[in-house]
DNA sequence: AACCTTCCCTGATGGC
DNA sequence: TGCCATCAGGGAAGGT
């Protein structure tokens, strides 16, 4: 479940290796993930130079000479760099977490795209569940803008500001967890960081947008970039499949406050973290820190946190 | 507008 | 040991 921090981790890891490199050859495997004709992808990409590698929400955007080559990692997508001087290693399964650590693996039946670059390096796109997507767009500002037209605010950019945030909440009344998963609201937030942000802002995931107090909206506005930032700082969350461009897992799993911690004590108050289903998604929260209803005024008055 | 279901896909898991 | 059912989940699509 690569979300913004995981995709950003991949981007940062790959950037120094791929910037300026040219595509020597493109080999396609299972073409289900391709949103472009395989023949066109193979033919067009060859010879083009990678001028920049950017990110928008959960999308990776390779800026080529004549095209934007765009990837979405879906649920289990792994984009890794294979270096000629580094020997391939077998998959290693962590005995406790079950995490498949790949380091540098040789292409297998789940490797659906291989991009050989100048200098002998190779980009491998591996995706067991094939929810990933590969696009090829004409390099044009208008085409790119159109492609991302349904994406919402981008955290860490001027587009993410309090005014836009409050504006996007106006006239909505969905459960707040649903809205956080909606990429047209804030781009890049997925199931893990949605739960983490709501915990940070102390908001119950099933609260309706209209019921949120102004201070709660402010708290959420600040919590979103905060939890994303922490995720990036620790190299992403490896819950199952995530690995960075070097094939290594992230270190953020153990820092999560609620996601995947059902049955365990809240790190803030000690109450038991619970897991429910909201909008068909597993949702984790602390029932004490994130009460469904606002605590009684009298209780609030005696609570130093308020 | 909000919400639900279905689909895509594979590996892990649990029941028998 | 094996076989089947179930589940997870990002995102789009279609129905209520």
């Amino acid at each position: 479940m690569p979300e913004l921090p995981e995709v950003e981790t991949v981007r940062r890891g790959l950037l120094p290796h791929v910037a300026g490199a040219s595509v020597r050859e493109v080999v396609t495997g299972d073409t289900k993930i391709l949103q472009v004709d395989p023949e066109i992808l193979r033919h067009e990409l060859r010879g083009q130079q990678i001028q920049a590698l950017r990110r928008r929400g959960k999308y990776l955007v390779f800026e080529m000479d004549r095209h934007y080559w765009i990837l979405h990692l879906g649920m289990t997508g792994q984009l890794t760099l294979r270096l000629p001087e580094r020997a391939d290693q077998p998959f290693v399964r962590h005995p406790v977490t079950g995490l498949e650590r790949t380091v540098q693996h040789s292409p297998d039946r789940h490797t659906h795209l291989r991009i050989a670059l100048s200098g002998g390096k190779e980009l491998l796109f591996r995706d067991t569940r094939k929810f990933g997507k590969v696009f090829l767009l004409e390099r044009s500002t208008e085409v790119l803008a159109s492609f991302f037209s349904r994406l919402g605010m981008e955290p860490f950019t001027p587009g993410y500001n309090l005014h836009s945030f409050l504006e996007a909440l106006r006239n909505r009344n969905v459960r707040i967890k649903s809205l956080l998963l909606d990429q047209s609201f804030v781009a890049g937030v997925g199931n893990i960081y949605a739960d983490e942000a709501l915990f940070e802002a102390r908001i119950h995931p099933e609260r309706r947008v209209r019921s949120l107090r102004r201070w709660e909206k402010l708290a959420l506005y600040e919590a979103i970039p905060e939890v994303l930032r922490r995720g990036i700082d620790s190299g992403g969350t490896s819950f199952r499949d995530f690995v960075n461009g070097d094939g290594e897992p992230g270190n953020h799993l153990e820092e999560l406050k609620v996601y995947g911690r059902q049955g365990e004590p809240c790190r803030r108050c000690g109450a038991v973290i619970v897991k429910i289903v909201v909008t068909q998604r597993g949702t984790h929260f602390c029932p004490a820190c994130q009460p469904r209803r606002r605590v009684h005024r009298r209780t609030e008055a005696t609570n130093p946190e308020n």
Side-chain angles (χ1 to χ4, degrees), chain A residues 14-25:
Chain A
L14 291 179
L15 186 58
H17 294 283
V18 304
S22 295
V23 175
R24 283 267 167 78
E25 194 188 4

Side-chain angles (χ1 to χ4, degrees), chain A residues 122-159:
Chain A
E122 191 175 28
L123 274 174
L124 301 181
F125 184 59
R126 181 175 185 270
D127 185 8
T128 55
R129 293 188 198 176
K130 301 177 192 170
F131 282 6
K133 297 260 191 300
V134 178
F135 306 84
L136 191 67
L137 306 185
E138 170 199 341
R139 184 172 163 174
S140 134
T141 309
E142 292 73 30
V143 168
L144 192 65
S146 168
F147 183 81
F148 288 133
S149 64
R150 282 174 299 183
L151 279 192
M153 289 172 278
E154 182 67 38
F156 311 119
T157 71

Side-chain angles (χ1 to χ4, degrees), chain A residues 9 12 28 73 101-102 124 140 170 195 216 239 271 285 288-289:
Chain A
T9 296
R12 291 183 184 184
T28 56
L73 302 179
R101 182 190 166 102
T102 53
L124 301 181
S140 134
R170 279 187 57 188
D195 284 0
E216 290 176 316
F239 200 74
F285 68 101
C289 294

Side-chain angles (χ1 to χ4, degrees), chain A residues 91-104:
Chain A
F91 289 99
V92 179
R93 183 175 300 281
H94 191 280
V96 177
T97 65
L99 178 71
E100 231 180 25
R101 182 190 166 102
T102 53
V103 189
Q104 175 164 313

